[in-house]
């Protein structure tokens, strides 16, 4: 039953509980929060691309969130606070797959899983758009794991041994395009998302793209003869999360002209989630719907950029998508103005605290109000969307310390959020506290420009190891997976 504008207005007026519940203390309930004694996980002591670099410097003052200033890396890879170290796990064109082929480039969304004999498994998307000839290191066309042999993207599965002395990497799926953030499922698989709308015959493709595919990191046989989950729609997918209680899937769309949408997929009444079951669904199974927001006065909200204060709460309703496979019209263009709510650069998502954290990277002239990033929290029980983090326009993005363009996101086992920056100028991993304050965790020092005109790629795929001791993250270009360790603790 829809939550009407009148119902939302009544509930908001009857007790600010709807606003307070959504805007206060949500992050503080992150699982595995403070003071846990977690087991040690070793990392390899090797030379070359796996060499570690330590950071030394002062610690922050009491009451100041964060771990202190970032210390320049003499190796030119990653600046970290004092006491933190990193190691390179994979590097495009340098490390090798089990097949002997080089690691693919353009690392993106990543998830961790418990592997055999205490190992950590990581599934790593590779955001490679268009034909294979365009890229020096596409995802290899592994036998039986190819969707479209013309496409360069896909994902790999990395296995890091328990003692950290052995790393292997293999193809999880190939022949997909522009594999972006994706998402982990409660049943232990990975949903890899194509951020493209290319059809067969466009951009060199031989099949339609813009779908979600399921990959099982423990059983690659389950991914043989890849089949898209067409029930989730065909559009520029970014990220996906699963509501483990209700079975809904929430999906973001990173698109423009017009701005993209947030979607919810409701499974059929008799459907039960589990490994491999999504790929067996009928193409029109369940209901795919786009969000529609309204404020506490019952007024329709056309774009999320309208929210200019943290703590803003919107009611949410869901409007069914007419043609989810977008045979003739892109999904986001199937709705007339006033029917649904839009947002520029809907990016990463993470499920925690009974709801979904959702990123809108930025808004510029295509949106009603400009900003440099928002993080929202959707509460499915209350059907509310609350603004948790808001980044104002950075006057000088090239200056170290100004954060803009949040993208991939994770919830820290120590409380708060870890956010990957995909903005202008300097690029960071940064944290956000319960009350929305931000602090640096790492800075990308890999200059892919020139000494006179430096350029730095985005961070992607932040995610903690199952034991909570290691933060994995990627530098998208040239394609480097990093393992970061240090004195993690609650901030703020």
């Amino acid at each position: 039953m829809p939550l009407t504008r009148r119902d939302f207005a009544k509930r908001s007026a009857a007790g600010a509980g709807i606003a307070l519940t959504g805007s206060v203390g949500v992050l503080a309930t992150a699982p595995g929060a403070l003071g846990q004694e977690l087991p040690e996980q070793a990392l390899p002591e090797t030379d070359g691309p796996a060499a570690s670099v330590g950071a030394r410097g002062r610690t922050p003052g009491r009451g100041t969130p964060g771990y202190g200033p970032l210390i320049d890396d003499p190796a030119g890879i990653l600046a970290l606070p004092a006491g933190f170290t990193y190691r390179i796990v994979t590097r495009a064109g340098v490390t090798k797959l089990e097949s002997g082929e080089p690691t693919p480039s353009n690392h993106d969304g990543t998830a961790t899983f418990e592997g055999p004999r205490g190992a950590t498994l990581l599934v790593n998307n590779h955001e490679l758009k268009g034909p294979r000839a365009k890229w020096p290191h596409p995802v290899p066309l592994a036998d039986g794991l190819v969707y479209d042999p013309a496409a360069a993207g896909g994902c790999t599965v990395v296995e890091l041994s328990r003692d950290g002395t052995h790393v292997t990497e293999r193809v999880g799926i190939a022949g997909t395009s522009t594999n972006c953030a994706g998402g982990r499922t409660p049943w232990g698989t990975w949903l890899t998302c194509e951020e493209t709308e290319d059809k067969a015959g466009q951009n060199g493709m031989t099949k339609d793209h813009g779908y979600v595919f399921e990959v099982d990191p423990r059983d690659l046989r389950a991914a043989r003869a890849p089949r898209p989950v067409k029930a989730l729609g065909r559009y520029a997918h970014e990220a996906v999360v699963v509501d483990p209680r209700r079975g809904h899937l929430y999906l973001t769309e990173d698109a423009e002209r017009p701005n993209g949408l947030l979607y919810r997929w409701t499974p059929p009444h008799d459907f039960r989630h589990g490994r491999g079951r999504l790929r067996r669904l009928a193409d029109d199974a369940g209901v795919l719907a786009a969000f529609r927001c309204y404020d506490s006065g019952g007024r329709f909200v056309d774009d999320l950029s309208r929210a200019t204060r943290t703590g803003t709460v919107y009611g949410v309703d869901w409007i069914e998508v007419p043609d989810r496979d977008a045979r003739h019209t892109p999904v986001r263009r199937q709705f007339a103005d006033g029917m649904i709510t839009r947002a520029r650069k809907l990016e990463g998502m993470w499920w925690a605290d009974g709801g979904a954290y959702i990123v809108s990277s930025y808004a510029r002239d295509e949106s009603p109000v400009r900003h440099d990033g928002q993080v929202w929290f959707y509460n499915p029980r209350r059907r509310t969307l609350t603004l948790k983090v808001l980044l104002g326009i950075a006057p000088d993005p090239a200056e170290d310390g100004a954060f803009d363009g949040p993208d991939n996101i994770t919830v820290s086992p120590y409380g708060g959020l870890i956010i990957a920056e995909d903005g202008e100028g300097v690029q960071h991993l940064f944290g956000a506290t319960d009350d929305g304050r931000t602090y640096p965790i790492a800075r990308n020092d890999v200059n892919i420009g020139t000494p006179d005109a430096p350029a730095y790629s985005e961070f992607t795929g932040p995610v903690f190891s199952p034991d909570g001791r290691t933060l994995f993250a990627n530098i998208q270009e040239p394609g480097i997976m990093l393992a970061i360790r240090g004195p993690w603790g609650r901030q703020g």
Side-chain angles (χ1 to χ4, degrees):
M1 175 177 144
L3 177 65
T4 66
R5 292 191 298 267
R6 179 175 296 176
D7 291 340
F8 179 66
K10 283 181 179 178
R11 286 166 61 177
S12 296
I18 226 179
L20 292 174
T21 302
S23 62
V24 177
V26 175
L27 300 185
T29 65
L34 276 304
Q36 290 188 345
E37 291 297 327
L38 299 171
E40 190 74 14
Q41 176 178 317
L43 289 169
E45 294 291 343
T46 55
D47 297 323
S52 83
V53 177
R56 294 291 182 267
R58 67 175 180 84
T59 57
R62 185 175 182 180
T64 302
Y67 299 98
L70 302 179
I71 311 302
D72 291 345
D73 178 6
I77 303 291
L78 194 69
L80 291 168
F84 283 77
T85 61
Y86 74 85
R87 290 190 180 275
I88 293 176
V89 180
T90 68
R91 183 165 186 159
V94 177
T95 54
K96 303 292 185 182
L97 306 184
E98 289 180 334
S99 63
E101 296 161 293
T103 294
S105 64
N106 291 64
H107 298 36
D108 209 287
T110 307
T112 58
F113 305 82
E114 293 182 358
R117 299 174 296 280
T120 296
L121 298 176
L122 300 103
V123 183
N124 186 204
N125 278 350
H126 297 275
E127 190 181 15
L128 299 163
K129 181 178 176 64
R132 301 181 62 78
K134 178 181 175 182
W135 302 98
H137 302 299
V139 177
L141 298 177
D143 184 43
L145 299 176
V146 180
Y147 170 65
D148 180 352
C155 67
T156 53
V157 178
V158 178
E159 183 171 332
L160 179 66
S161 64
R162 183 174 185 176
D163 64 1
T165 61
H166 187 60
V167 178
T168 60
E169 185 177 17
R170 56 190 181 272
V171 173
I173 191 172
T176 52
S177 177
T178 328
N179 299 69
C180 212
R184 191 186 193 280
T185 70
W187 52 91
T189 63
W190 173 247
L191 298 177
T192 185
C193 297
E194 294 187 304
E195 189 193 326
T196 181
E197 296 173 296
D198 286 343
K199 291 183 178 181
Q202 295 178 335
N203 205 17
M205 299 297 96
T206 65
K207 292 186 177 182
D208 291 349
H209 290 268
Y211 294 117
V212 176
F213 296 79
E214 186 169 22
V215 175
D216 190 332
R218 299 182 182 88
D219 182 10
L220 295 186
R221 294 172 300 176
R224 296 187 70 83
R227 183 178 185 275
V229 186
K230 292 189 175 182
L232 302 181
R234 193 183 71 81
Y235 47 89
H237 285 272
E238 175 73 29
V240 57
V241 295
V242 181
D243 180 340
R245 179 177 178 184
R246 300 163 185 83
H248 294 144
L249 273 67
Y250 295 90
L251 308 104
T252 49
E253 178 183 32
D254 182 3
E256 59 182 332
R257 293 177 293 179
N259 286 345
L261 309 177
L262 174 67
Y263 299 94
R264 184 187 71 180
W265 179 75
T266 302
H269 292 299
D270 58 348
F271 180 76
R272 295 293 180 269
H273 283 294
R275 291 176 182 269
R277 293 181 181 176
L278 286 173
R279 64 178 283 164
R280 297 198 292 268
L281 284 167
D283 293 351
D284 60 352
V287 176
L288 183 69
F291 77 148
R292 173 185 171 91
C293 297
Y294 39 89
D295 64 19
S296 59
R299 294 174 291 268
F300 167 68
V301 178
D302 62 337
D303 195 283
L304 290 186
S305 67
R306 297 285 186 189
T308 58
R309 292 185 302 170
T310 55
T312 297
V313 183
Y314 293 144
V316 178
D317 211 345
W318 297 95
I319 310 300
E320 186 171 353
V321 170
D323 172 21
R324 72 181 81 182
D325 205 44
R327 301 317 308 162
H328 304 290
T329 305
V331 172
R332 68 186 181 283
R333 295 178 184 168
Q334 296 173 23
F335 298 96
D337 291 343
M339 292 182 65
I340 42 78
T341 300
R342 301 185 185 277
R344 182 74 173 100
K345 295 288 290 179
L346 285 170
E347 297 273 5
M349 287 198 292
W350 197 267
W351 185 271
D353 308 315
Y357 291 95
I358 305 162
V359 172
S360 172
S361 270
Y362 62 79
R364 293 295 185 264
D365 292 341
E366 79 291 325
S367 304
V369 181
R370 293 163 60 91
H371 64 73
D372 263 353
Q374 298 174 327
V375 181
W376 295 83
F377 179 78
Y378 177 67
N379 184 325
R381 184 172 66 86
R382 294 179 175 271
R383 283 180 284 177
T384 56
L385 192 67
T386 302
L387 183 59
K388 304 297 299 181
V389 178
L390 175 63
L391 301 178
I393 298 293
D396 183 7
E399 180 183 348
D400 191 13
F403 304 136
D404 68 314
D407 196 315
N408 289 182
I409 189 172
T410 190
V411 171
S412 169
Y414 305 97
L417 300 172
I418 307 294
I419 301 169
E421 189 176 13
D422 179 17
E424 301 176 19
V426 182
Q427 305 295 316
H428 300 88
L429 289 173
F430 65 95
T433 64
D434 301 352
D435 57 5
R437 290 179 294 163
T438 59
Y439 58 92
I441 295 173
R443 185 185 67 237
N444 173 14
D445 281 353
V446 180
N447 182 6
I448 57 175
T450 66
D452 294 333
Y456 302 94
S457 175
E458 66 182 280
F459 277 105
T460 62
V463 61
F464 276 89
S465 58
D467 67 9
R469 298 292 291 178
T470 304
L471 174 65
F472 295 96
N474 311 302
I475 296 173
Q476 187 173 75
E477 296 180 47
I480 302 173
M481 178 185 286
L482 301 154
I484 304 169
R485 302 196 63 192
W488 303 109
R490 184 171 181 80
Q491 301 301 312

